[in-house]
Amino acid sequence: MIRFIDEEGMIAPRGENIRADIALTTFSMHIFNVLLEKTGAKQSGVMRGSVDIPLYTAEVGGKAIVVYLTPVGAPAAVSALEEVLACGVKHVIAFGICGALTEASPHLFIVPTRAYRDEGTSYHYMPATEYVEVKNAQKVQTALESAGVKTLVGGTWTTDGFYRETRTRLNEMREAGCVAVDMECSALQACANFRGKEFYTFFITADSLAGEEWEPNYILDLKATDSTTVAVAAAIRLAGEIE
């Protein structure tokens, strides 16, 4: 088990020469392209690492925001977040697709209230616990529902092992109150907490593990949909409401 040590790392994120208080990010290219279109964000820099991640900037409600595509998986997602936070970002809104653990139609919006830590990255940012509270869940739910978006609220199971989502573990997570499965939430929340930043997140259901067999739905053929447009609009609205 990883032992959390409350001290700064020997390697520090550099941050790019971009200044913004708010970051908007998603995990899927089809959502990201709509996000760029709706914000009008223009490329202003690039985070260089094992994979280059372009950074785009725009203005929403008089506020400077940075927009970027988060790589999938907790370690890569947190590495990108660290670099973005080093630019001076104080609030991060991350949204994307998830797997449903309960009977739910595709494209349903889910607001996670706690994230069960079945990944390794978060244990470098906080002591071992079963889950981490997603502390801005109520603000996200209010923002979505005030925009007319119906939401499902509950826990999420954050796992590193997409191909190791077993029936036994699935049943345990459902019994704990999880309605979704994702790959980044607990780690991103833990990192934000450690750095003293604010994290906001919501999901859109794609594939489903609610039945006897996995239902891929549209996860194997991702493309922009009406729910994508709604999600992007909701994320932008949330960014505009952040004080």
Side-chain angles (χ1 to χ4, degrees), residues 23-36 39 41-48 51-57 65-73 75-84 92-97 184 188 222 228 232:
L24 278 173
T25 187
T26 188
F27 309 87
S28 303
M29 183 59 76
H30 72 291
I31 301 177
F32 182 66
N33 288 336
V34 177
L35 183 58
L36 288 182
T39 59
K42 305 298 182 184
Q43 186 172 346
S44 303
V46 61
M47 295 187 290
R48 300 197 181 277
V51 177
D52 288 352
I53 301 176
L55 296 174
Y56 300 79
T57 52
I65 66 168
V66 60
V67 179
Y68 70 102
L69 179 66
T70 291
V72 173
V78 168
S79 292
L81 178 62
E82 284 275 30
E83 292 290 339
V84 168
V92 178
I93 302 168
F95 64 106
I97 62 172
E184 300 86 15
L188 291 173
L222 295 174
T228 301
V232 168

Side-chain angles (χ1 to χ4, degrees), residues 28-243:
S28 303
M29 183 59 76
H30 72 291
I31 301 177
F32 182 66
N33 288 336
V34 177
L35 183 58
L36 288 182
E37 176 188 351
K38 296 301 182 182
T39 59
K42 305 298 182 184
Q43 186 172 346
S44 303
V46 61
M47 295 187 290
R48 300 197 181 277
S50 57
V51 177
D52 288 352
I53 301 176
L55 296 174
Y56 300 79
T57 52
E59 187 173 291
V60 172
K63 303 171 185 176
I65 66 168
V66 60
V67 179
Y68 70 102
L69 179 66
T70 291
V72 173
V78 168
S79 292
L81 178 62
E82 284 275 30
E83 292 290 339
V84 168
L85 296 180
C87 295
V89 167
K90 299 180 178 66
H91 304 267
V92 178
I93 302 168
F95 64 106
I97 62 172
C98 70
L101 299 187
T102 187
E103 293 294 343
S105 60
H107 308 294
L108 177 68
F109 282 67
I110 290 180
V111 179
T113 54
R114 58 176 56 171
Y116 285 78
R117 302 168 64 190
D118 215 359
E119 41 70 37
T121 306
S122 66
Y123 294 89
H124 295 277
Y125 288 86
M126 61 181 286
T129 56
E130 186 177 11
Y131 57 83
V132 56
E133 296 284 353
V134 184
K135 62 182 183 179
N136 284 315
Q138 184 60 61
K139 292 181 180 179
V140 174
Q141 182 185 9
T142 299
L144 288 173
E145 294 189 348
S146 66
V149 178
K150 184 179 179 180
T151 62
L152 175 63
V153 176
T156 186
W157 166 27
T158 304
T159 177
D160 279 339
F162 181 82
Y163 293 105
R164 293 297 301 146
E165 295 173 8
T166 65
R167 176 62 57 187
T168 297
R169 189 60 173 150
L170 165 64
N171 289 339
E172 291 175 348
M173 291 294 94
R174 282 204 293 211
E175 289 174 5
C178 289
V179 296
V181 57
D182 79 289
M183 298 184 69
E184 300 86 15
C185 185
S186 58
L188 291 173
Q189 182 68 71
C191 176
N193 290 351
F194 183 79
R195 297 299 181 191
K197 311 299 182 180
E198 297 297 326
F199 177 65
Y200 312 78
T201 191
F202 62 90
F203 307 141
I204 312 165
T205 55
D207 61 319
S208 176
L209 294 169
E212 291 301 316
E213 296 183 356
W214 176 57
E215 297 177 12
N217 296 327
Y218 68 97
I219 197 171
L220 302 179
D221 183 27
L222 295 174
K223 55 184 179 295
T225 62
D226 289 344
S227 62
T228 301
T229 303
V230 172
V232 168
I236 294 172
R237 176 173 176 158
L238 180 58
E241 293 176 352
I242 290 173
E243 295 297 336

